[in-house]
Amino acid sequence: MMDLPPAIVTEADVPSYSLPSLLSREAMIGQLESTIYGVLSETAVTLKTTIIDAGLLAGSPGVVREQWNVDVSNGATTVSFGLAVFLPSESDQPVPLFLGLNFKGNGSVHSDPALILPPDAQRGVRVRRWPVEMIVERGYGLATIFYYDLAPDEPDQWRDGLARLWPTDQGVDPPGAVAAWAWGLSLARQVLAADARIDPDRLAVIGHSRLGKAALWAGACDPGFALVVSNDSGCGGAALSRRRFGERLLHINTRFPHWFTPVFATYNEREAELPVDQHQLLAAIAPRPLYVASAEEDLWADPRGEYLALKAAGPAWGRELPDEPPPVAGSLVAGPLGYHCRPGPHDLTQEDWNHYLDFADTVMAAPGNIPRD
Ligand code: GTR
């Protein structure tokens, strides 16, 4: 692999730039498709859910653990993925639920030995990112999918997943792996919405880092998500590309050539010529609630650029956010928009979840109060 230039990590080295204007949601989605992600997928599929395991979460009688197998079929081909679902064991009404992809397998999110673990994966290794009991105690469900089940994160293998269902000719702006992950989120939302224990109108999508990019693209394209949460999603996620701060297009498109539609790489080192920027991805989520979060030490993901993208998207919700982000460890909640920058490194922590749950309590408090397109 070619030697990549170092990242810009001082504000003084950020070029001056001007951002493209916000457009209609449809126009922004169209430009984001043709420049960055490719289409989410227009493939008509049928979904079949089988509950292959149901019990109480080990050590936590207040939590129901289920494992679902979802068959996705286009008629000729079927691709399956597994969903781990956690719900309150007692609830007299359908619960709101967070859906997010995980990096290390469903058995990485909790030490419960019943959870399916991919080969060579370590049980419970990502417990710190998934405070299952805390989320459920606060009245939310949680569902998660191992992202390799949707599209293996390898340049030469990512098509061996949901992409097998797509037509071979994907046109001039074929989707990349981020779009495959996002499509999987959208399909999972549909099967979750069909379960009577879950409130179909209060489904949130959340993602960390590359999976935050997928959560944002899923949230922008699928209005069925009532709340979108981006945790440290950075370049190709919430961070403005024109700032060229931290990871920039040259870095991401060289290291991960399979994530985006190929034309994105033609903008390497000429970000100012992009017809779009990431504030438009955020704005395409309006009028539904959106929370963006950064971590102070995560310069690779450009915390300031993530805030500035949210600020630039604000008018899509009729919101004028302050010029400066809230102080580290503080947070800003302006109606349907939220932001915080947590002290510490690139990660998804309980502290982040506390912010998301507090925010969800305000924007998803009662069924039916969420603005829709
Ligand atoms: C990095 C990548 C980031 C981010 C991160 C992650 O290597 O450069 O864009 O996606 O991985 O997903 O943890």
Side-chain angles (χ1 to χ4, degrees):
M1 189 181 288
M2 66 183 278
D3 282 340
L4 292 168
I8 294 172
V9 287
T10 34
E11 208 51 39
D13 294 333
V14 171
S16 62
Y17 59 88
S18 56
L19 293 176
S21 305
L22 299 182
L23 309 169
S24 70
R25 175 170 175 269
E26 195 184 14
M28 292 189 291
I29 297 268
Q31 288 201 341
L32 291 160
E33 283 173 352
S34 58
T35 313
I36 305 182
Y37 305 100
V39 289
L40 187 68
S41 176
E42 284 160 0
T43 307
V45 288
T46 54
L47 301 170
K48 182 169 159 267
T49 306
T50 314
I51 299 183
I52 54 173
D53 163 60
L56 294 179
L57 185 65
S60 299
V63 183
V64 168
R65 174 208 70 238
E66 289 188 3
Q67 299 188 82
W68 299 5
N69 179 74
V70 182
D71 290 330
V72 189
S73 173
N74 65 2
T77 305
T78 300
V79 175
S80 306
F81 65 85
L83 198 53
V85 182
F86 306 96
L87 298 170
S89 48
E90 280 177 33
S91 178
D92 47 13
Q93 54 180 4
V95 292
L97 179 141
F98 281 88
L99 167 66
L101 305 179
N102 68 73
F103 280 87
K104 301 280 183 185
N106 293 350
S108 74
V109 309
H110 194 275
S111 57
D112 187 330
L115 286 166
I116 295 166
L117 201 59
D120 303 325
Q122 214 183 318
R123 184 162 305 288
V125 71
R126 283 292 180 271
V127 162
R128 71 172 193 282
R129 287 192 179 158
W130 300 95
V132 179
E133 287 89 347
M134 180 180 101
I135 294 166
V136 173
E137 272 162 25
R138 290 196 52 169
Y140 293 83
L142 173 69
T144 187
I145 307 167
F146 176 39
Y147 84 130
Y148 265 65
D149 270 9
L150 305 176
D153 194 2
E154 313 286 345
D156 51 353
Q157 286 166 35
W158 74 271
R159 286 188 179 79
D160 188 16
L162 288 180
R164 289 172 51 219
L165 301 167
W166 295 341
T168 15
D169 177 12
Q170 289 280 297
V172 291
D173 49 5
V178 170
W181 300 324
W183 190 41
L185 285 167
S186 184
L187 298 173
R189 180 195 63 73
Q190 292 168 45
V191 300
L192 290 161
D195 188 296
R197 297 165 297 174
I198 298 166
D199 185 343
D201 294 325
R202 292 191 291 162
L203 287 165
V205 62
I206 182 170
H208 169 64
S209 203
R210 70 196 67 182
L211 306 181
K213 308 180 209 298
L216 285 170
W217 187 229
C221 295
D222 180 355
F225 285 113
L227 161 63
V228 182
V229 179
S230 158
N231 189 88
D232 306 358
S233 62
C235 182
L240 291 173
S241 296
R242 276 169 173 72
R243 280 172 48 81
R244 296 166 51 83
F245 190 102
E247 182 175 37
R248 62 179 188 261
L249 269 56
L250 178 63
H251 301 126
I252 204 166
N253 287 321
T254 307
R255 295 176 60 218
F256 306 108
H258 57 299
W259 282 4
F260 302 103
T261 198
V263 80
F264 195 39
T266 67
Y267 291 94
N268 291 354
E269 304 297 63
R270 53 181 200 105
E271 289 85 349
E273 292 168 52
L274 278 165
V276 289
D277 212 318
Q278 301 304 123
H279 63 306
Q280 290 164 310
L281 171 66
L282 304 185
I285 293 162
R288 291 163 291 137
L290 167 66
Y291 198 108
V292 173
S294 314
E296 185 183 16
E297 294 168 18
D298 186 15
L299 299 185
W300 187 242
D302 189 12
R304 186 174 178 79
E306 296 190 312
Y307 177 74
L308 292 177
L310 184 65
K311 176 177 167 52
W317 287 263
R319 295 278 166 171
E320 174 82 30
L321 299 186
D323 288 343
E324 291 298 317
V328 171
S331 70
L332 168 80
V333 172
L337 299 179
Y339 178 85
H340 74 259
C341 183
R342 170 181 50 71
H346 186 67
D347 204 352
L348 169 58
T349 69
Q350 187 162 324
E351 183 178 339
D352 294 311
W353 274 105
N354 278 324
H355 286 290
Y356 303 146
L357 291 164
D358 289 348
F359 184 70
D361 282 351
T362 67
V363 298
M364 299 206 294
N369 73 346
I370 297 153
R372 295 286 174 165
D373 300 307

